[in-house]
Amino acid sequence: MKLFGRAVTALGSLLMVGILVLVNLQVFMRYVMDRPLAWADEAARMTYISMVFIVSVALAALMNHIVVTVGSVDLDKPWVRWWNAVGTAVGGFACLLLCYAAWSSMDRLSRGSTAALGLSNGLIMWMAWTTVALTGVLLLVNSVRSLRGTAGVTSELEQAREEAL
């Protein structure tokens, strides 16, 4: 799971570099060359949206998603593992419920194309739907891993644990 998370994180990092390149290219073309690109703003926006959704998958795969610590950070205690598992499962079910509710609207929302690039709106809609569904599945997997006590501890949680003990 860590290898998958790192690979997706690398993809998110490449998308971030792409955003920086696109924005700087647009600034250069607009203010230095006085010939703005019609498609650069739209491409940067699409890249940003993709990056956000893709990185959410990486965070879930690496168990670096949002964690709320209530009462104790000692994962050796069974009730702490159960509390963590329930919280993670609620997040996973919320993602899957969102995907279920959005399914009926996906065809309607996917029609048409973007103004400058002419890309199908379905490209970004289906990418968002797929990554939210995958995030939900990974959160449910993490919930089971928490119950079994095999979940990896994030560096932030480890730091909080050391400060508490």
Side-chain angles (χ1 to χ4, degrees), residues 105-150:
S105 303
M106 290 299 291
D107 183 49
R108 181 178 46 81
L109 294 172
S110 296
R111 294 186 190 133
S113 60
T114 61
L117 294 172
L119 294 174
S120 169
N121 288 334
L123 179 69
I124 199 76
M125 297 301 294
W126 285 105
M127 186 275 310
W129 188 91
T130 304
T131 55
V132 171
L134 185 56
T135 299
V137 169
L138 290 171
L139 288 175
L140 292 176
V141 168
N142 288 343
S143 179
V144 172
R145 291 177 63 210
S146 292
L147 283 175
R148 290 183 175 173
T150 60

Side-chain angles (χ1 to χ4, degrees), residues 26 29-30 35-43 45 115-117:
Q26 178 68 334
M29 292 301 291
R30 180 178 302 247
R35 301 199 35 103
L37 301 171
W39 54 268
D41 292 336
E42 188 174 288
R45 184 172 44 254
L117 294 172

Side-chain angles (χ1 to χ4, degrees), residues 28-146:
F28 176 78
M29 292 301 291
R30 180 178 302 247
Y31 297 109
V32 175
M33 303 300 289
D34 198 26
R35 301 199 35 103
L37 301 171
W39 54 268
D41 292 336
E42 188 174 288
R45 184 172 44 254
M46 299 274 288
T47 306
Y48 176 74
I49 293 168
S50 300
M51 180 197 65
V52 168
F53 281 100
I54 288 171
V55 168
S56 72
V57 172
L59 293 175
L62 295 171
M63 281 201 71
N64 279 340
H65 50 78
I66 295 174
V67 176
V68 178
T69 306
V70 179
S72 177
V73 292
D74 188 2
L75 293 177
D76 294 330
K77 294 180 180 176
W79 71 270
V80 174
R81 288 197 316 266
W82 274 90
W83 186 254
N84 185 35
V86 168
T88 305
V90 167
F93 283 122
C95 287
L96 295 178
L97 182 61
L98 178 65
C99 288
Y100 176 76
W103 183 261
S104 61
S105 303
M106 290 299 291
D107 183 49
R108 181 178 46 81
L109 294 172
S110 296
R111 294 186 190 133
S113 60
T114 61
L117 294 172
L119 294 174
S120 169
N121 288 334
L123 179 69
I124 199 76
M125 297 301 294
W126 285 105
M127 186 275 310
W129 188 91
T130 304
T131 55
V132 171
L134 185 56
T135 299
V137 169
L138 290 171
L139 288 175
L140 292 176
V141 168
N142 288 343
S143 179
V144 172
R145 291 177 63 210
S146 292

